[in-house]
Amino acid sequence: MRFFKHDQRAELDKDPTDVAEMFSAVAPRYDLMNDLASVGQDRRWRLDLVDALAPQTGEVILDLAAGTGTSSAPIARAGATVVSTDLTEAMVMVGHERHPHQIFVVGDALRLPYGDGCFDAATMSFGLRNVESVPAVLAELFRVVRPGGTLVICEFSTPTSAVMRGLYRQWLKRALPLAAKIVSSDRAAYSYLSESIMAWMDQRGLAVLLERAGWTEIQWRNLTGGIVALHRATRP
Ligand SMILES: C[S@@+](CC[C@H](N)C(=O)[O-])C[C@H]1O[C@@H](n2cnc3c(N)ncnc32)[C@H](O)[C@@H]1O
């Protein structure tokens, strides 16, 4: 199995100002492009995330890097209060228009504007890959989740079969940029998407970083053959 250590990843520019600028450019068509790029699979992945998080009515849950709030909506429907937090104001504004009853906060994952242990659980979908320091964000999440609370990370990962890995690489290199050319005015954002997925660590690599940040009971579940993985962990 391929295993990237965090510090051995290909270097992509993750400066927060550049990341926010890139997401501002794609904000209005972000959800449409997501559906196309994942061939509708993202809807299934979001329901699997809710299963892993098992939100209870009355719980307060942080959805970090929530973007337009699409990742938060099914958690809110399950009865929890979701605090959707994202670095990019344009994504938050689109989210607020689409989901007027959800709570949106503009905030940086590296310096969360929340007190220690104030959330029952936290989640992050397709956001961890974009941050400047993964260990620092996992430590911030650890700080804001209460002891006994849960973290679920949903992120692109490494397909488990060699055949699938080969096909998926071709999809990322050829089909995704083509789809971006047709639908999006910002092709650079989608070549960043392909590159950042190809440079990202595998399932075991993320589990190691979670453990180093203090999380326990770490497990992962592969979705769509490992194209995406859900990592679940508990704050001791
Ligand atoms: C691919 S989108 C995911 C949005 C949403 N979670 C979803 O599943 O559709 C990634 C999001 O990460 C946000 N992001 C990137 N760096 C961040 C940071 N340092 N703090 C908070 N959000 C960040 C971006 O603004 C963007 O909205």
Side-chain angles (χ1 to χ4, degrees):
M1 189 191 295
R2 259 180 341 132
F3 184 8
F4 289 103
K5 275 192 181 163
H6 174 61
D7 51 9
Q8 291 176 334
R9 285 182 304 150
E11 275 311 312
L12 287 171
D13 187 6
K14 308 262 177 85
D15 179 284
T17 312
D18 295 341
V19 168
E21 205 174 292
M22 181 180 69
F23 279 104
S24 297
V26 299
R29 307 197 92 175
Y30 169 79
D31 287 307
L32 169 67
M33 194 56 208
N34 239 4
D35 270 346
L36 277 177
S38 70
V39 206
Q41 288 289 302
D42 59 318
R43 291 164 190 252
R44 180 68 245 165
W45 298 334
R46 296 187 191 291
L47 296 179
D48 289 330
L49 179 137
V50 175
D51 276 353
L53 199 58
Q56 305 294 311
T57 305
E59 280 190 338
V60 182
I61 297 180
L62 169 65
D63 183 15
L64 184 55
T68 57
T70 308
S71 48
S72 315
I75 308 166
R77 276 199 295 275
T81 299
V82 187
V83 181
S84 308
T85 303
D86 198 278
L87 178 73
T88 309
E89 206 174 326
M91 293 288 273
V92 166
M93 281 165 67
V94 170
H96 186 61
E97 265 172 37
R98 289 192 188 152
H99 308 280
H101 302 297
Q102 277 176 214
I103 302 165
F104 284 93
V105 175
V106 175
D108 186 350
L110 289 159
R111 285 169 292 275
L112 289 172
Y114 307 116
D116 296 355
C118 65
F119 292 101
D120 295 298
T123 181
M124 198 167 179
S125 295
F126 309 110
L128 195 58
R129 214 180 56 257
N130 302 301
V131 300
E132 241 181 342
S133 167
V134 175
V137 170
L138 296 179
E140 260 302 78
L141 286 164
F142 188 88
R143 182 182 69 75
V144 300
V145 170
R146 67 166 169 78
T150 307
L151 172 67
V152 179
I153 304 280
C154 177
E155 189 51 88
F156 290 107
S157 203
T158 304
T160 48
S161 95
V163 173
M164 184 99 157
R165 276 200 295 279
L167 290 173
Y168 183 49
R169 261 191 113 71
Q170 291 308 313
W171 161 255
L172 289 174
K173 278 189 185 162
R174 299 180 203 285
L176 185 59
L178 188 68
K181 189 175 169 185
I182 296 165
V183 177
S184 171
S185 56
D186 195 322
R187 290 171 65 190
Y190 288 95
S191 61
Y192 165 85
L193 175 64
S194 298
E195 284 165 23
S196 67
I197 293 172
M198 287 189 276
W200 185 240
M201 67 193 86
D202 71 2
Q203 290 82 336
R204 194 171 300 282
L206 181 53
V208 169
L209 291 189
L210 282 161
E211 193 176 21
R212 283 191 195 145
W215 294 95
T216 57
E217 297 173 37
I218 299 155
Q219 301 175 355
W220 70 82
R221 177 180 166 201
N222 291 315
L223 307 179
T224 317
I227 285 177
V228 165
L230 287 176
H231 282 72
R232 188 173 61 193
T234 304
R235 179 174 168 178

